[in-house]
Amino acid sequence: MNKFSTKKLARAGIIAALYIALTYAFAWASFGPYQARISEALTILPLFYVEAVPALFIGCILGNLVSPLGAWDLLLGSLATLIAASATYFIGRTKLNKHVKIWLGILPPIISNALIVPVVLIIYGVTEFAYPIQALWIALGEVSVIATLGVALYYSVDNMREKKIGVMLD
């Protein structure tokens, strides 16, 4: 049975808090038709930790409380993160090589956000682009963050786990 230990609960709290803090600190890049939400780099963490899934979902809900896009962003944007985090977690459980796993692991948040976030932007009329173009802009923003900061975070956490350093252990 895989229960949540105190360490896992604390790690989940840290992940959620980081997601919220990064979303608020970089709010100018977190909302709108052109976005590169820095907090999305954390969406790589479900490759390692099951507790990252609810942590990212809760972090996104609380981060979206300040969204100028209102309740639809709170609901659909957070749902996109939950879907992505869950899919990333299952990729992390595969027997694939870690280098393959990382590149597959970045796809769920890119795809999920590219498909769902444009709907919110169109509902609120903050984009002049048609859905496919807006989806491409969201995907490019996700790629710019996750393929750089997220991949760097992955290798940093992986290195810390291999060296048995700190709270990154299981």
Side-chain angles (χ1 to χ4, degrees):
M1 183 171 173
N2 189 6
K3 64 179 183 174
F4 271 48
S5 65
T6 303
K7 180 187 254 184
K8 288 182 177 184
L9 188 58
R11 188 170 28 229
I14 291 167
I15 293 168
L18 282 171
Y19 192 97
I20 298 162
L22 289 168
T23 300
Y24 288 2
F26 296 97
W28 56 271
S30 297
F31 306 103
Y34 310 101
Q35 54 181 266
R37 190 179 275 205
I38 304 301
S39 50
E40 286 290 297
L42 300 172
T43 61
I44 209 67
L45 294 176
L47 287 173
F48 297 108
Y49 311 114
V50 66
E51 62 270 23
V53 175
L56 291 168
F57 179 57
I58 292 166
C60 190
I61 288 171
L62 296 175
N64 283 345
L65 286 175
V66 298
S67 172
L69 303 175
W72 285 107
D73 195 21
L74 191 65
L75 175 68
L76 294 177
S78 301
L79 180 63
T81 297
L82 179 60
I83 291 167
S86 298
T88 302
Y89 171 75
F90 287 112
I91 290 168
R93 305 292 70 78
T94 65
K95 301 285 186 205
L96 296 169
N97 171 293
K98 71 178 177 181
H99 303 293
V100 172
K101 203 181 284 191
I102 179 67
W103 295 107
L104 288 176
I106 69 172
L107 294 177
I110 294 167
I111 294 168
S112 180
N113 281 289
L115 293 176
I116 296 173
V117 172
V119 172
V120 176
L121 295 168
I122 290 167
I123 287 171
Y124 281 94
V126 280
T127 182
E128 298 173 7
F129 299 122
Y131 177 85
I133 302 298
Q134 187 59 63
L136 179 62
W137 277 116
I138 297 299
L140 289 173
E142 288 286 307
V143 168
S144 71
V145 171
I146 301 169
T148 56
L149 299 174
V151 169
L153 177 61
Y154 175 88
Y155 285 112
S156 295
V157 170
D158 187 54
N159 186 37
M160 291 173 73
R161 287 167 52 103
E162 285 177 4
K163 293 180 179 179
K164 300 188 183 325
I165 298 173
V167 297
M168 295 315 201
L169 299 173
D170 286 331

